[in-house]
Amino acid sequence: MTEPGHRNDVDGTVTGSVLQARTVIAHTIAMGQPAARTPTPHQLPPPHPVWTNRARELATLDELAARATSTRALLTGLAGIGKTELAVRWLLGQRAGHPDGELYADLSAWRDQPPVRPHQVLAGWLRALGIPPGDLPDDPAELTALYRSVTAEKSLLVLVDNVFSAEQVRLLIPASPSSTVLATSRRQLRGLLLAGFHPVDLTYFTPDAGGTLLAALLGQPPPGEQSELRALASRCHGHPFALAVAGVHLAANPHRSPADLITRLNTDHGATLALHVDEASVGGILDMSYDDLDADTARLYRLLAVHPGAEFTADPLAAALDQPVAEVEHGLTRLADAHLVTAVAAGRFRQHDLPREHAQALAEQHDDKSVRRATLRSMIEWYLRRTAAADMAINPRSRRFSPVYEQLDTEPFSNVELALNWFTLERANVLASQYLAAQQGWDGLVFQLAEAVWNPLRPSYFADDLVQTQQLGIVSAQHCKHILEAVFLTRLGFGESNRAHHDAAITACTTAIERATAFGDSWIQAAALSTRARALTAAGQPRTALEDLGSALNLDEQRGDRRSIALRHRRIGQAYAHPEIADFPQAIWHLREAADLMEALGDQSGHARVITYLAEVHVAARQPDAALFTLRRIDNTLASCGSSRYRGHAYTVMGRAHVQLGNNADADRCYGNALALFADAGPGAAADREAVLKLRDELDDTATHGSHVDAPGAEDENTEGNVNK
């Protein structure tokens, strides 16, 4: 209560508690201790001055921050991939919206000790937020509650670095919805997704981005070295830490060029893993991930070094380990969690070059050479069996010679499409298996693989692969004095002709005819004559080709081999259709004979191919109605004949027939179907795609000028190019 004549106001500046009795005239009165100002922590480490190529990840984090919910992200990737640098740089850009500061904990500081408990980190953070050490409770639950109370009204940036488990992070999340939390880990830590964390996976640099990083580290080297820097980035496998160390080596040795370092990395075994600065090496940071693996998963990781290719499923690994497929898949999932492999599809994984090099070094260190060799052979044998199964599904009627076909499980492939799709995925592994088998001197495996890849490769655009596999098969069959030598020479001729190396094809087939005659096998002799005729026709010598085809047909008729007879009639028809002869009635007669025989044999795929060639001859003879009527016979089988190349060819012929009839809309639809199929067939189909695009352009010109007649020059070119396939 204020008495009359007395004032209760305080003049001046006052801090602390004030006790006023009657009139106080002092200008400044301080009683008790001054109130402590709450500190604002800024614990994030400083960013590196050199930075490049994380625009995609930064954009992802920006999108997360723009959402109404609190921002939580988990940055994952292999050690040294740049997780911490990305997190720091992005968080520093968020300072304006988080005025209460930044908290940081590097959990790798305790890597050689028991796992860090969250309350150890909380104690340090609470002290940084102004809680006196004496006020921190000992009980972890009370400490957590205090942390939540202190952070409930704050807007903080939090980075938990090098996390090992989700448990380490959950209790470190601030209570306020306006705070932002980033965690980094070498593991995927799916448990954090349940806590609202969004995964952001960091990958390796491209050669261009890696070259840019090296250039920045070196202070803009001469323009002439830019291509060398990109090559060095590729040789360092795009790993940021490896690139940084390579940059340090070049900066410390100005007289050493990037090319010199590349030479050293290529010639010195394990040189990439040995790259180091002070105590940190490329191999050492990969060892951190390897050391976290259990014994079984570590063994699986080393086994991957022996696998023929960088991409794989669990099946060949399970065969080599003699373990259930499900168990191996579980191990691969653990490796994917550690970023030592990458899941590229359901049940399919890929190992990047750097972990593969690391796994190879560990395999040499821990696993006996004989064990590694036996493991490799087991995997190659698995690929042989599966390829042979695909071969049988694609063409069950071909004559076979290899032992692998005697007791073969074809269950994985119930139709042609499944078999071709499997081979498309595994082609690189199958080819690598044959190459490695040749290096090991396993001739039996080499020539069996050469036979098994014939039907999977034949309808594809990989003529180079077909040639290489048959060349390896020839050498191995010669070593074993096996009759397949003559078969592979014939198929080598087929591949060389596909590469437009017609002289080489004719030479290979001529040798095949000689070897088949020496072996006394008329089936191989007829096949070699027919394949030589194919090359002669493609080389513009159809009349000479007809002589070979007549001899082959006689041999087939003597054996009563109806399928071979059908194949000879098909080739004879193609030779008669060649512009050099252009005897369309003869061509049509022989192709109809071939079609009737294939239909009687129940060979739907072979029948569809002959019908396509027959329709093409009708187009060349300007009989479009007959061409379309002929193609209708295979409406039901065209979609299931398997090869994108053959199906695309059929749609191209159909389109040309529609053009001759003036049905431009139907022609355009057919050309569109062909282009889609050729696009699926891969880069080797570029020539066929360009041919169809040219036909489509001519179709547009036709519509513009009001004409719908094929250009004669284009028709002749297409007839010669396609009829003789």
Side-chain angles (χ1 to χ4, degrees):
M1 176 174 145
T2 304
E3 296 181 14
H6 297 282
R7 295 165 52 198
N8 278 336
D9 55 308
V10 178
D11 185 19
T13 300
V14 180
T15 61
S17 302
V18 176
L19 174 64
Q20 182 173 339
R22 297 184 67 85
T23 301
V24 180
I25 61 173
H27 289 286
T28 301
I29 300 174
M31 301 185 66
Q33 295 296 322
R37 184 174 62 87
T38 301
T40 301
H42 294 288
Q43 297 184 348
L44 291 177
H48 194 282
V50 175
W51 173 253
T52 186
N53 194 48
R54 291 299 184 196
R56 180 182 64 86
E57 293 85 353
L58 288 170
T60 299
L61 292 171
D62 287 341
E63 290 174 7
L64 291 175
R67 297 176 183 176
T69 58
S70 59
T71 304
R72 299 176 186 177
L74 172 65
L75 277 57
T76 63
L78 199 63
I81 205 74
K83 303 181 293 295
T84 303
E85 184 65 24
L86 171 64
V88 168
R89 281 186 170 269
W90 184 79
L91 287 171
L92 289 176
Q94 306 298 310
R95 270 180 167 172
H98 299 77
D100 297 312
E102 309 112 33
L103 300 174
Y104 174 78
D106 181 2
L107 303 190
S108 67
W110 294 273
R111 187 170 64 86
D112 296 329
Q113 303 297 327
V116 178
R117 296 180 179 179
H119 72 266
Q120 295 175 273
V121 176
L122 289 179
W125 283 0
L126 285 168
R127 289 193 296 271
L129 291 169
I131 304 301
D135 292 345
L136 296 177
D138 294 328
D139 181 69
E142 293 181 10
L143 195 68
T144 302
L146 177 60
Y147 174 69
R148 290 172 178 166
S149 297
V150 170
T151 60
E153 302 296 329
K154 294 184 180 297
S155 183
L156 294 162
L157 296 172
V158 176
L159 174 55
V160 189
D161 207 7
N162 295 306
V163 176
F164 185 79
S165 69
E167 182 185 0
Q168 291 178 305
V169 180
R170 288 193 185 98
L171 298 181
L172 302 181
I173 301 172
S176 63
S178 61
S179 290
T180 292
V181 185
L182 264 59
T184 74
S185 179
R186 300 192 304 272
R187 309 174 72 186
Q188 291 189 357
L189 301 183
R190 292 181 176 85
L192 281 182
L193 304 187
L194 298 175
F197 281 76
H198 183 90
V200 180
D201 188 40
L202 275 67
T203 59
Y204 300 84
F205 284 166
T206 63
D208 284 343
T212 301
L213 175 61
L214 285 169
L217 289 168
L218 296 173
Q220 297 305 318
E225 285 191 356
Q226 294 296 330
S227 61
E228 290 186 7
L229 291 178
R230 288 192 293 270
L232 178 58
S234 180
R235 183 57 189 82
C236 290
H237 310 306
H239 189 272
F241 179 76
L243 290 168
V245 176
V248 169
H249 277 246
L250 292 175
N253 298 275
H255 300 296
R256 176 181 290 171
S257 70
D260 293 334
L261 185 52
I262 293 172
T263 300
R264 177 192 158 197
L265 295 176
N266 287 335
T267 55
D268 293 353
H269 184 65
T272 306
L273 300 174
L275 284 172
H276 70 282
V277 173
D278 297 329
E279 300 300 320
S281 70
V282 175
I285 62 171
L286 288 169
D287 286 341
M288 294 168 63
S289 296
Y290 176 76
D291 291 342
D292 291 336
L293 303 175
D294 60 81
D296 289 340
T297 308
R299 181 188 176 209
L300 175 61
Y301 177 63
R302 300 195 305 271
L303 172 66
L304 296 180
V306 186
H307 185 268
E311 195 170 298
F312 42 82
T313 63
D315 300 83
L317 307 175
L321 287 168
D322 194 23
Q323 291 179 352
V325 173
E327 187 175 326
V328 175
E329 285 181 338
H330 186 57
L332 289 172
T333 300
R334 290 196 295 268
L335 289 175
D337 285 342
H339 289 88
L340 293 171
V341 301
T342 302
V344 295
R348 192 167 188 84
F349 300 85
R350 179 176 181 82
Q351 188 173 41
H352 192 270
D353 293 341
L354 186 60
R356 186 170 177 83
E357 190 172 333
H358 181 243
Q360 288 171 344
L362 290 170
E364 292 172 3
Q365 180 181 349
H366 295 284
D367 302 315
D368 187 76
K369 183 177 180 180
S370 62
V371 173
R372 301 199 306 272
R373 196 166 185 263
T375 299
L376 173 62
R377 185 176 182 105
S378 294
M379 286 190 277
I380 292 175
E381 288 173 345
W382 184 89
Y383 279 110
L384 170 61
R385 292 192 299 273
R386 285 293 184 268
T387 307
D391 175 41
M392 287 292 293
I394 294 166
N395 187 354
R397 295 171 176 83
S398 286
R399 182 183 174 191
R400 271 125 182 142
F401 301 84
S402 294
V404 68
Y405 294 100
E406 293 174 3
Q407 292 182 336
L408 188 62
D409 175 16
T410 58
E411 183 181 353
F413 309 108
S414 57
N415 58 53
V416 175
E417 186 175 5
L418 288 176
L420 285 171
N421 288 343
W422 177 86
F423 187 79
T424 298
L425 284 174
E426 299 292 354
R427 178 179 60 88
N429 288 329
V430 173
L431 299 182
S433 292
Q434 190 198 29
Y435 174 78
L436 292 172
Q439 280 193 324
Q440 295 291 331
W442 296 330
D443 287 320
L445 293 179
V446 175
F447 76 68
Q448 290 187 88
L449 279 163
E451 181 176 19
V453 299
W454 164 243
N455 282 302
L457 280 177
R458 180 170 52 87
S460 75
Y461 288 91
F462 298 104
D464 291 345
D465 293 341
L466 182 58
V467 166
Q468 291 165 10
T469 57
Q470 301 310 294
Q471 287 173 333
L472 288 173
I474 290 166
V475 174
S476 291
Q478 287 173 340
H479 290 166
C480 299
K481 301 186 183 335
H482 200 286
I483 194 172
L484 276 169
E485 175 197 353
V487 175
F488 297 150
L489 282 163
T490 301
R491 293 171 179 176
L492 173 63
F494 184 97
E496 290 287 17
S497 186
N498 280 4
R499 299 201 297 181
H501 299 169
H502 303 309
D503 289 342
I506 292 167
T507 299
C509 290
T510 300
T511 306
I513 294 166
E514 295 169 357
R515 298 300 297 141
T517 303
F519 280 116
D521 193 303
S522 65
W523 182 88
I524 302 175
Q525 187 179 353
L529 284 164
S530 179
T531 305
R532 184 169 70 178
R534 178 179 184 266
L536 287 165
T537 303
Q541 305 175 54
R543 299 183 191 280
T544 307
L546 285 171
E547 296 176 9
D548 274 354
L549 289 167
S551 299
L553 182 59
N554 285 335
L555 291 171
D556 295 330
E557 289 175 339
Q558 290 171 16
R559 294 193 320 277
D561 185 344
R562 297 174 68 200
R563 189 172 189 279
S564 293
I565 292 170
L567 292 172
R568 300 312 159 242
H569 278 295
R570 191 193 79 192
R571 286 260 167 88
I572 292 170
Q574 291 174 282
Y576 273 119
H578 191 280
E580 186 72 22
I581 301 177
D583 188 340
F584 298 129
Q586 280 282 6
I588 290 169
W589 186 88
H590 282 284
L591 286 167
R592 283 176 175 167
E593 282 288 302
D596 290 344
L597 282 168
M598 287 292 188
E599 189 172 29
L601 290 168
D603 187 343
Q604 292 186 343
S605 178
H607 178 253
R609 290 187 64 201
V610 175
I611 288 296
T612 302
Y613 295 132
L614 176 58
E616 190 169 30
V617 173
H618 281 304
V619 170
R622 310 205 67 76
Q623 301 168 358
D625 286 319
L628 293 175
F629 178 80
T630 299
L631 286 169
R632 289 192 191 101
R633 296 174 61 185
I634 58 171
D635 274 348
N636 295 330
T637 59
L638 187 59
S640 61
C641 72
S643 168
S644 296
R645 184 177 195 174
Y646 295 157
R647 293 163 61 195
H649 178 206
Y651 278 115
T652 304
V653 174
M654 197 180 301
R656 292 177 60 211
H658 280 299
V659 168
Q660 290 184 355
L661 290 170
N663 303 331
N664 286 6
D666 290 332
D668 187 68
R669 173 181 54 80
C670 292
Y671 291 155
N673 290 339
L675 288 171
L677 288 162
F678 291 144
D680 290 341
D688 279 341
R689 285 198 299 273
E690 289 173 6
V692 176
L693 287 170
K694 182 179 179 182
L695 289 171
R696 225 177 191 181
D697 290 341
E698 292 170 357
L699 186 64
D700 293 338
D701 292 341
T702 297
T704 302
H705 296 95
S707 171
H708 46 257
V709 179
D710 281 357
E715 180 180 314
D716 290 346
E717 179 183 347
N718 285 315
T719 299
E720 183 174 353
N722 291 328
V723 168
N724 299 309
K725 284 183 180 178

